[in-house]
Structures are given as structure tokens and as C-alpha cells.
Amino acid sequence: MESKICTNASCRNKSTHEWKRGWALRSGGYADLCYNCGSAYENLVYCETFHSDESGWRNCFLCGKRLHCGCIASKSLLELLDSGGVGCTSCDRSSLLCSSDQISNGFGASTLKSGADMQSPIEIRVTGDKLDDGRLSQLCKFVEANEPNFLPQSLRGDTRTSNLLPPFVGGIVDREQSKTASLFQQGQRSRPIYPKPSKSGLANSSETIKGMFTQPRIARPPVDGRGKSQLLPRYWPRITDQELQQLAGDLNSTIVPLFEKVLSASDAGRIGRLVLPKACAEAYFPPIHQSEGLPLKVQDVKGNEWTFQFRFWPNNNSRMYVLEGVTPCIQSMQLRAGDTVIFSRIDPGNKLVMGFRKAANSVDAQECQTSALSNGAPSGDTSFTGVVENLLAVNGYSGILQTPNGSNDPHINALAENLNLADGDIGWHNSDNHGGRINGNLLQQPVPCIEKKKTRNIGSKSKRLLMNSADAMELRLTWEEAQDLLRPPPSVSPSIVTIEDYEFEEYDEPPVFGKKTIFTARISGGEEQWVQCDDCSKWRRLPSDALLPPKWTCLDNVWDSSRCSCSLPEDMSPKELENLIRGGREFKKRRIESHKSAQECEPSGLDALASAAVLGDMGDSGEPSVGATTRHPRHRPGCTCIVCIQPPSGKGKHKPTCTCNVCMTVKRRFKTLMLRKKKRQSEREAGMPRKEKNDHNDESEINGTSGLASLHINQSPSEDNQSKIKAEVAETSTGRIDLNCDPSREDMQPEVAGMSMMSLVEKASLPIVTYIKQSGLGSLISEQQTSQLMKSSSPPPPGTSC
DNA sequence: TTTCCGCATGGAA
DNA sequence: TTTCCATGCGGAA
């Protein structure tokens, strides 16, 4: 027994320091519970079998929140009682399926709807005040089968003891007493239940919460069928009692949910084959003895009857069952990979029905979200009537249910049931279609819809790791964009670590995600960045070096007191705002294009450098002035990486006296170029073998241009050398450094450029200052820099590149 | 060239 | 290790 202070705000007895290991039903595991209020201590819930190390926890595959350890004990109860996890406040789906950030309070019981906490056995009241006998019996059977010691002897076997249920929910088990202590029995202890005050202003009576708690989606164990007990829980159909009762009552028939399956890419693809779980096929579909199988009639939710070929393929001394010819049906229901098809049976008649549930993040669902919202659906609607209506639709009963969101469109409702209507955050991928909001929270990006396209391998290790080239491109871009959001850990200064002459900043803490901003250049010079308020969506101008947290509002504007409130007007006109956003889009578009071209021919660092300077010329090509710098959103003062050395304003050529990063890098490279030539010449005179020299020179080349380390990575050593020479010739022949020259271009011949190799060598042997003066480069470098050049013969200092 | 068909492969549980 | 099953793949149409 430990002494801890309850962290539950609603706990009435903060002084109660008694904590016991208890059953955190919602989270499917044991936790330290406040003996007073039942709240899980700091929401950290352990599974029954004490897989208590964090690595044992599972994460929701969509929202990433920790769920439960996945042990039998936690899983079974989760799936039986808790519809698979913590109910989402919005869509009421299991947290296992919910992608919403509604499960936002961390982990465990505090993530319940309406902020209800561990004290709420209320969640079970969805079916009344107790579990019905059938479900309790199922629960007991299942738990007993998987965790024999979990139930007390009195509850083993047929346990239609629903009166035990209320204490069971949220009951406290003293693990110290006995591992086999029954939570049913222990739970009969009475303890106060204090509903947590609702944040949203909703009344917090159990009745109200009961109303909010629509039916949990119960993963139903298999009904009658061959081999029924072997079905994996993931195939158990999730359908509520209410739905079933309504269906059975209204139709005067019995709907028997059989199984469900999440559509894979190949299921939903054009092949038209739906792979059936073997156990399900053998349990619920007619037995087949020939590979060809037999035709199977299945009704869809619209009442259409489809005939699929139910067959199998021999596979490793086993069978692989498929439904062939499902494409028209899948398309009719507008299903995609990730959506779920639910096979049910209507009794009497033994008619097969195929319902569906759309994945929360499918594009269709999002579109539906929009339409549902425009339909006046209340935010936070947790209707589950979609499936009911879908099933009703089978028999022509579409629309007979009065749905809470007021829509009679079963399809709409079917989709809406899975949506996070409360949030309304369309997310990054749809931002272009919804007002072009640039500041989409990348952390809340919806999973892109899976689509069958031409694919290519992105890794040799796994053939399954496929994505189409566009996705791969997007991945690269979003990865880079993610870099935009990374901020150094707060209040921590890095330690500098030198590895192979390169300095790295090393932080004890990982970087944090910051808010995405847009950088622009001031007309007067310098930079500024723009950020959009998370509350009022107004854009605010900030200093370029401001580091922002992921959430930022006008109130956080400590730099400009005249713009530190959402009530204050925006810093720019609508037209300027349009330019700003357009600039951001065009920057992204350009990057995509440049990535495409990069795929065809990887550019060298020199190319990138040249491009950087050339970009300056392109800055005059009619781009909106505010957009000129959005092409360099990562530009940071002082950074000399290949991105940041691009001219900040993109305006014209640089003056000879310019000391910007580009010019300084160019000059530095020129210096090392000359030094290398001189060295090469002296080596040649000394008669050293050329091959060794090449190797050595290549090395010095890389060392001398640390920021351009990717130079000529695709070229053989000989080609490399030739290219360099050509580039050097191009640079020197015009008396200026031509950043447009391409070292790999065959047409850059020395003779064409008007200078022989010998004359180049001669010039390279001259002292650098003499050479600069002779070549007319004096205007490019100031006297002061020239003298610096003479003093300095070392390569650029490490750390000048990113 | 595209689509279909049947089976094989290999990752994951 | 075995089994399942998502999907790749080659040959046929």
C-alpha cells in the first residue's frame, strides 16, 4: 500500500492516501486506484498480469495513445465490456479504432467521455444498469477460458449472475490479498462514486452521462457456427445491443452478426477478391470441398443482392478462402482499404448480409463529415444508427429510424458514426480544399487513404513496404516539413560534439515540435515570420528568431503588445494574406518539382549551391514579393546549410562587396579550388602517380567543402576529376564565377570557353591574390577579404554546414 | 498491353 | 515452429 495523493480533481478526499491496485476497467488493466474516488493514479494503469513496464503497452494504431498491454486479461475485458478500449468522446468508437484526439488526456480512465474518470461505472449503464445475462455469460466464459484464475470458483461455469455486475464495474481488487481474488466479489464493496464535474458544462449526473454514452460497440464473440470458439476477437462483429434489438424488433427477425473484417488494400483493390478469414469462412459459410467453391448470394446494405464466388485456394496444406467478384459491391458501398465489412445473417431465412463501417479517416468519411456538419449534425454526435440503418436498408427499411443527427440518409449516418465531428479538424492533406490553412497540425494528420496505385519499393528489405512514388515524395517532403516543426528543447543549451571534424549539437532532451510558421523578408531587409493564432486564426508577425510551441495564440505574442489579443486586427490585409499563403504553396510545389527532378538526377552540392544563387535571379520573375522568401521557410539567421545560404530575398545579383552566406561560400570554395590546383600542379611536377593524387585530392575536396559533401556522388573518380576541371574552367574563363555552370555538362569544354588547360594550370599556379586581380575578380572580393584569404589557408570551419 | 487466374511467398502473430 | 493471410508474381487469355 502506497501513499499517494489522488490526482483526480473531483476526488473529495485529497487527504486519502490509500491506494490499492485495482481494476481499471476502462483501460483494461490493473491500476493504482484512489480508494476514495477510484481514480487511477496519474492515469497509469497496469495490466492484470503486471506487464507494467512501459514497453508492454500498446498504442492505438491511429491515435498513438497508449491503450493496454494486450495481455489476455486486459484484452478480453476490453473487447467484451469496453468495446475495445476507451470510448471516444466524439465518435464513441473504441480508442483502438479512434483516430481522434478526443482521447487527449493521456491514458486510462481519465480519457473517458465527458471527462468522466475511473469512478464511472456509468459506462456500463448503457445497456441499463447491468449487463444482460447473455453478455455477462459470454464474459465469464471468455475470461474463464483465457484466465482460469481470474474468476472465483463461484462464477465459473454458467454465470448468469447479473446482479454482480455493478460492483464489478470499477470494483477494487486487493492484489496483495490474493491474485485470484475476484474482482466481482471484491467489487461488491461499496464505495462512494463521485461523478467528475464536466468540463464541457454538461450536467454530470449519471443520467446525463448515460445519455451521452450511447451504446458501446461490443465485440461480440461468435455465435453458433462451426469452430466458433476459435475465431480471433478481431473478427468479432462490433454491433450494439440497441442496434440488434431495433433490428430484430422492427424487422420481426433476428440479425445474427457473424464476423467482420477490415478491408486490406487487396480486398478493396481492383482484383475483386476479398480474402476471408479462414476460421470465419469455415464457421459461417457453406462448406466447400472443391477449390472452385460455389456461388454465394449476399445482400448489401442497399438491398442489392450480389453473387460472389466463395472458393478457396490450396495453401501450405491449408486453405485460403476468398470471395471473388466483390469489386462491384465494394464500389457500390464506396468502401476502401481500412473500412470494415460486417457479415451478418438474417434469421429466419439464413440470408447473408454484408454491412460495413467506414474507417474514421477515409476520405469519404471526411467528406461525409463535412456534409454531416452542413446537415446540422450536432458536434460530438455519437450516433451508431448508421449500421442499424444500413442493415435495415437491406430490407427496405432505410430511413425509418429517427437519427440523432437529423439525417435520414443512412449512408451519411453510417459514415458519420465514425467521425470525429467534435473536432472538425480536416487536417493537412485536405487543407488545400478547406481554405488553404497552412498551419495544419501535422501531429493530427489523418492517415492518408490507402489506394491501389502503381507502387515501387522504397526498401529492399520488405516487399510489403510499398508506396507509390507520389506518396514517397510526399513522405520526403513531410519529413522535411517535420524538420520545420522541430525546435531545440527548451532551456537547454547543446553540448558540442566533434565527430570526424564535424561538430554536432547534442541535446540531452529530444527536440520539441513547434508551430509551423512562414518566413518572409522585410522590404527594409532582414526577416520576419508569420504565425497563425490557434484561436482566432489571425496571422501575426513575429521576429524571425521566435521559437513557438505547437499551440500558439495571440495571447502568447510577447513581441508585439499591439497584437497580443485575438480581438486586435490582423497584421496584414486579405491580399497580403493571400500572397503569403500562395507563396507557401508555391514553395511546396517547387520543392515537389525539384524533388522530381532530383530523382532523375541527383544534384551535387555544387549544383545546389549554383541553384541557390540562380534562385536569386528567379526572384524577379513576377513572384509576389511576400512569396519570395516563403521558398526558404527554413531560413535561419546564421545558418549556412545549403538551404539557408540561399539569398533571403531572391532579388537580383549580389554586389561584389556582398558578404552574405552565398557569396562567402562561393568565395571560400573558390579559394580552396585555387589551392587545390596549386597543389595538384606541384604534385604533377614532383611526378607523383596520378591515381594517388586523385584519391587524395578527392578527399581534400570533400574536406574543403564541408557544406558540399555530396559533390559528384554519382561519378566515377575519373569523371569526377574531369568534371571538376570543366567546372573550374567555366568559372575562370569568363573572369567571373559562373554559378550556372554545370560540372557534369559535356558542352563545357575548356576550348569552347576560350581557355586552354595549360593556361588554366598556369593561372592556378599564381598566388591567389594575383590570380584574383588578373581575372577581374577583385570586384567580387573586398580588400579586406582578400587579405583574409591570404592569411587563411584552412578549409572552412566545421559546423558551417547543416 | 491489360486483365484474370492460380499459386507462392514471406511477414506477422 | 506453425498457421494465417496480404499480396506478389508468372502464365494464360
Side-chain angles (χ1 to χ4, degrees):
Chain A
M1 188 77 66
E2 294 179 68
S3 293
K4 298 170 184 172
I5 297 174
C6 179
T7 54
N8 181 5
S10 65
C11 177
R12 294 188 182 180
N13 191 352
K14 286 287 185 183
S15 62
T16 297
H17 288 183
E18 285 193 349
W19 290 78
K20 287 191 175 184
R21 193 70 63 177
W23 179 248
L25 181 64
R26 274 284 181 181
S27 307
Y30 273 95
D32 286 330
L33 303 180
C34 171
Y35 195 77
N36 184 54
C37 73
S39 173
Y41 176 65
E42 290 180 346
N43 304 324
L44 186 61
V45 184
Y46 299 100
C47 71
E48 194 275 336
T49 46
F50 261 65
H51 303 155
S52 54
D53 61 313
E54 294 214 356
S55 61
W57 294 101
R58 286 188 173 177
N59 295 337
C60 171
F61 70 96
L62 285 175
C63 69
K65 299 294 183 188
R66 290 193 303 183
L67 294 172
H68 60 93
C69 79
C71 71
I72 290 291
S74 59
K75 259 173 78 175
S76 60
L77 286 169
L78 278 173
E79 288 171 338
L80 273 167
L81 283 180
D82 210 13
S83 66
V86 178
C88 173
T89 55
S90 178
C91 68
D92 203 12
R93 300 187 68 194
S94 156
S95 57
L96 287 166
L97 300 171
C98 180
S99 65
S100 159
D101 65 344
Q102 296 304 300
I103 307 169
S104 57
N105 297 331
F107 167 74
S110 68
T111 60
L112 295 184
K113 304 160 211 171
S114 76
D117 212 319
M118 271 303 299
Q119 79 277 13
S120 58
I122 297 158
E123 63 215 1
I124 295 301
R125 297 183 186 178
V126 291
T127 56
D129 285 330
K130 58 189 178 185
L131 283 178
D132 60 77
D133 288 351
R135 284 173 55 202
L136 179 62
S137 179
Q138 287 172 354
L139 164 69
C140 293
K141 284 179 184 174
F142 187 88
V143 173
E144 184 178 0
N146 293 287
E147 291 280 319
N149 294 329
F150 202 75
L151 293 179
Q153 192 65 43
S154 62
L155 288 177
R156 295 176 191 171
D158 187 14
T159 53
R160 295 176 179 275
T161 49
S162 56
N163 59 329
L164 288 174
L165 185 69
F168 167 75
V169 179
I172 292 179
V173 174
D174 187 346
R175 279 187 68 88
E176 279 69 39
Q177 285 183 8
S178 165
K179 169 152 184 167
T180 60
S182 160
L183 51 86
F184 286 71
Q185 292 172 326
Q186 298 286 339
Q188 290 180 55
R189 293 181 198 169
S190 62
R191 62 187 179 87
I193 301 296
Y194 303 124
K196 188 175 182 178
S198 168
K199 292 177 186 173
S200 58
L202 293 166
N204 56 18
S205 72
S206 61
E207 203 56 40
T208 303
I209 297 177
K210 175 183 171 183
M212 288 184 56
F213 282 41
T214 56
Q215 288 264 336
R217 192 158 293 285
I218 304 298
R220 292 166 188 278
V223 296
D224 57 325
R226 303 178 303 277
K228 57 186 178 182
S229 61
Q230 302 303 317
L231 299 193
L232 293 172
R234 71 169 181 265
Y235 299 126
W236 296 359
R238 294 169 185 272
I239 187 168
T240 67
D241 277 346
Q242 190 180 23
E243 292 164 355
L244 286 179
Q245 285 168 6
Q246 284 181 300
L247 281 170
D250 294 338
L251 301 177
N252 198 23
S253 59
T254 305
I255 304 293
V256 183
L258 301 177
F259 67 93
E260 68 178 37
K261 192 203 172 192
V262 177
L263 292 178
S264 68
S266 53
D267 290 336
R270 287 174 298 181
I271 304 174
R273 299 189 295 209
L274 170 60
V275 176
L276 293 167
K278 180 167 175 270
C280 300
E282 292 181 341
Y284 301 118
F285 287 179
I288 49 178
H289 307 289
Q290 304 293 326
S291 173
E292 292 73 23
L294 48 81
L296 200 63
K297 289 183 178 177
V298 179
Q299 275 190 325
D300 71 6
V301 297
K302 295 176 181 173
N304 302 319
E305 187 169 270
W306 305 90
T307 301
F308 305 135
Q309 188 71 19
F310 171 55
R311 58 170 308 185
F312 69 86
W313 304 322
N315 191 296
N316 290 336
N317 295 325
S318 180
R319 288 178 171 188
M320 193 165 167
Y321 290 91
V322 290
L323 280 182
E324 292 182 338
V326 298
T327 299
C329 177
I330 296 290
Q331 289 178 344
S332 165
M333 294 190 286
Q334 297 182 328
L335 299 181
R336 295 168 179 267
D339 298 336
T340 302
V341 291
I342 308 165
F343 287 91
S344 302
R345 194 183 65 220
I346 298 179
D347 287 334
N350 266 350
K351 185 174 284 185
L352 281 173
V353 186
M354 193 162 88
F356 66 88
R357 209 167 53 236
K358 300 287 277 187
N361 285 311
S362 75
V363 169
D364 286 351
Q366 288 186 359
E367 288 168 355
C368 173
Q369 172 175 356
T370 309
S371 55
L373 285 168
S374 64
N375 252 353
S379 181
D381 183 1
T382 57
S383 164
F384 275 113
T385 56
V387 167
V388 177
E389 290 212 20
N390 286 338
L391 290 172
L392 288 174
V394 171
N395 283 6
Y397 281 78
S398 175
I400 63 169
L401 287 178
Q402 187 60 42
T403 62
N405 65 6
S407 169
N408 285 330
D409 184 339
H411 194 64
I412 294 284
N413 291 324
L415 303 183
E417 67 163 313
N418 301 301
L419 299 181
N420 170 15
L421 295 175
D423 186 28
D425 190 345
I426 301 298
W428 179 266
H429 290 281
N430 279 3
S431 61
D432 285 347
N433 299 328
H434 296 271
R437 179 175 168 162
I438 292 179
N439 270 16
N441 188 343
L442 285 183
L443 297 177
Q444 295 174 20
Q445 284 186 50
V447 177
C449 103
I450 303 166
E451 201 173 345
K452 193 76 177 178
K453 297 175 186 173
K454 278 191 174 179
T455 58
R456 71 183 183 94
N457 278 325
I458 60 169
S460 59
K461 199 72 177 172
S462 170
K463 292 178 180 176
R464 302 285 162 82
L465 272 177
L466 297 174
M467 64 175 67
N468 64 73
S469 55
D471 289 343
M473 181 72 63
E474 193 66 17
L475 179 62
R476 291 176 67 177
L477 290 172
T478 51
W479 172 251
E480 290 177 3
E481 285 157 2
Q483 305 299 307
D484 293 348
L485 306 181
L486 287 177
R487 304 284 184 265
S491 70
V492 176
S493 57
S495 52
I496 305 299
V497 178
T498 303
I499 301 173
E500 294 181 356
D501 295 333
Y502 290 90
E503 288 185 356
F504 295 88
E505 290 182 341
E506 189 176 80
Y507 293 87
D508 292 333
E509 298 293 326
V512 297
F513 277 95
K515 188 168 179 62
K516 192 175 180 68
T517 58
I518 296 179
F519 282 81
T520 61
R522 288 197 207 96
I523 298 175
S524 58
E527 283 189 320
E528 60 196 11
Q529 63 178 320
W530 292 84
V531 62
Q532 193 174 25
C533 172
D534 285 323
D535 280 349
C536 67
S537 299
K538 286 174 184 165
W539 287 87
R540 302 296 185 196
R541 179 191 289 114
L542 301 180
S544 61
D545 57 349
L547 295 176
L548 306 182
K551 294 287 183 184
W552 189 91
T553 65
C554 295
L555 291 173
D556 302 322
N557 190 356
V558 297
W559 297 274
D560 186 354
S561 58
S562 65
R563 294 286 187 273
C564 63
S565 167
C566 293
S567 60
L568 296 168
E570 201 154 38
D571 291 21
M572 66 174 88
S573 67
K575 186 171 176 60
E576 289 171 327
L577 175 62
E578 186 184 345
N579 283 340
L580 178 72
I581 294 173
R582 188 170 62 210
R585 281 185 191 157
E586 286 170 355
F587 170 74
K588 184 177 180 182
K589 186 179 171 185
R590 267 196 298 275
R591 282 215 294 185
I592 291 175
E593 288 168 354
S594 68
H595 273 282
K596 283 179 182 172
S597 61
Q599 279 192 325
E600 296 163 3
C601 175
E602 282 290 328
S604 68
L606 183 59
D607 293 336
L609 179 60
S611 302
V614 171
L615 269 176
D617 293 336
M618 292 164 60
D620 293 328
S621 60
E623 295 280 339
S625 61
V626 68
T629 53
T630 57
R631 70 180 66 180
H632 313 307
R634 296 181 60 200
H635 195 103
R636 299 285 186 275
C639 177
T640 55
C641 78
I642 200 63
V643 174
C644 293
I645 63 174
Q646 297 175 39
S649 66
K651 295 285 183 185
K653 293 182 181 294
H654 294 202
K655 293 178 180 177
T657 57
C658 176
T659 58
C660 76
N661 285 323
V662 173
C663 295
M664 291 307 294
T665 304
V666 168
K667 291 164 189 170
R668 193 165 54 235
R669 187 190 180 283
F670 180 79
K671 178 193 68 181
T672 54
L673 186 71
M674 291 301 106
L675 290 171
R676 194 178 65 240
K677 285 177 184 171
K678 185 177 179 182
K679 190 174 182 180
R680 190 180 302 157
Q681 173 66 16
S682 60
E683 286 171 353
R684 190 173 291 124
E685 289 170 354
M688 285 178 62
R690 182 59 187 262
K691 176 76 171 62
E692 290 178 18
K693 282 182 280 184
N694 276 349
D695 293 344
H696 181 71
N697 289 340
D698 288 345
E699 186 180 337
S700 65
E701 164 81 1
I702 292 174
N703 287 338
T705 55
S706 59
L708 312 171
S710 60
L711 273 168
H712 315 303
I713 55 175
N714 290 331
Q715 293 176 325
S716 65
S718 59
E719 290 169 340
D720 185 16
N721 206 37
Q722 283 183 8
S723 297
K724 285 180 207 162
I725 293 172
K726 289 172 190 172
E728 290 154 7
V729 169
E731 288 172 4
T732 54
S733 62
T734 59
R736 287 173 297 155
I737 297 177
D738 183 4
L739 290 170
N740 287 307
C741 79
D742 184 346
S744 63
R745 279 177 56 189
E746 293 298 327
D747 56 351
M748 301 297 265
Q749 299 295 328
E751 289 76 16
V752 174
M755 180 178 285
S756 71
M757 183 65 75
M758 285 310 296
S759 64
L760 169 68
V761 172
E762 285 173 12
K763 289 188 180 295
S765 64
L766 292 173
I768 185 166
V769 177
T770 308
Y771 176 80
I772 289 172
K773 287 179 178 174
Q774 284 187 3
S775 306
L777 285 170
S779 61
L780 188 64
I781 306 177
S782 67
E783 285 299 320
Q784 182 186 2
Q785 290 162 345
T786 306
S787 61
Q788 285 175 346
L789 275 180
M790 294 184 65
K791 291 176 188 172
S792 167
S793 61
S794 61
T800 53
S801 62
C802 287

